[in-house]
Amino acid sequence: MARERAQQHTRDALLDAADDEFDKGGWQKASLEAIAKRAGVTKQTLLRHFGSKDGLLLQALMRGGAQVLEQRWNAPAGDVEGAVDNLLDHYETWGERALRIGAWQSGPAMLAMLSKAARQVHYDWVEYAFAPWLEHLDGKGRARRRAALIALCDVQTWWILSHDLGLERSEVHAILTDLIERLIAEER
């Protein structure tokens, strides 16, 4: 048991070090030696646990993805203000990382695949959070409303409002809530 706990501690330290490098935007330039050193282990230990830099990245992203899913699916379905709160909580924690992952769409195959999967999580969350305002629609009306909700709730929209325009969270919340409520009030 003690050995298993020690191995898990080492894996967690390596995943945390990988997350730190990724969050700083230096993943492409980061060396295995630097990541291992940050975790307090050797490069050989890193390789024994993850096989390669790509293996470490994949595991770090999978761990983060599980955390994202848990957080995002805590949104109350059918509650616009609750969904917007959940969305802003998520972007305040994960927004910069989501932007980096989104930029991988045209990158190497593995990264492009992860980017596509992250976008799908967002689409699925929109379907879940706004189900009461989508399920009675069909065809073009549903597709349009879904597309508008995806765009309104996108990380780029949050970034423009909160960073480019420098709006406070309460103002971003009010804008998104207002736009979403207007959209879902429309009959199609």
Side-chain angles (χ1 to χ4, degrees), residues 52-139:
S52 66
K53 187 176 176 182
D54 283 345
L56 175 60
L57 175 63
L58 182 60
Q59 290 299 310
L61 291 173
M62 287 176 61
R63 180 178 77 163
Q67 293 167 344
V68 164
L69 289 174
E70 180 180 342
Q71 188 267 332
R72 290 292 293 266
W73 264 257
N74 278 325
D79 174 0
V80 173
E81 288 199 25
V84 172
D85 277 333
N86 176 274
L87 189 71
L88 296 181
D89 288 346
H90 171 72
Y91 288 150
E92 287 168 1
T93 303
W94 297 92
E96 289 186 43
R97 180 178 287 201
L99 288 167
R100 269 194 293 287
I101 291 171
W104 291 346
Q105 291 178 44
S106 58
M110 182 181 91
L111 298 181
M113 179 187 70
L114 291 170
S115 178
K116 182 178 180 181
R119 284 191 313 280
Q120 189 61 53
V121 165
H122 178 65
Y123 302 163
D124 292 346
W125 178 84
V126 165
E127 295 265 354
Y128 162 77
F130 301 106
W133 300 286
L134 292 170
E135 52 195 27
H136 72 282
L137 298 172
D138 56 3

Side-chain angles (χ1 to χ4, degrees), residues 131-150:
W133 300 286
L134 292 170
E135 52 195 27
H136 72 282
L137 298 172
D138 56 3
K140 201 175 226 179
R142 185 182 193 290
R144 283 182 180 162
R145 182 171 289 172
R146 179 180 175 270
L149 287 166
I150 287 169

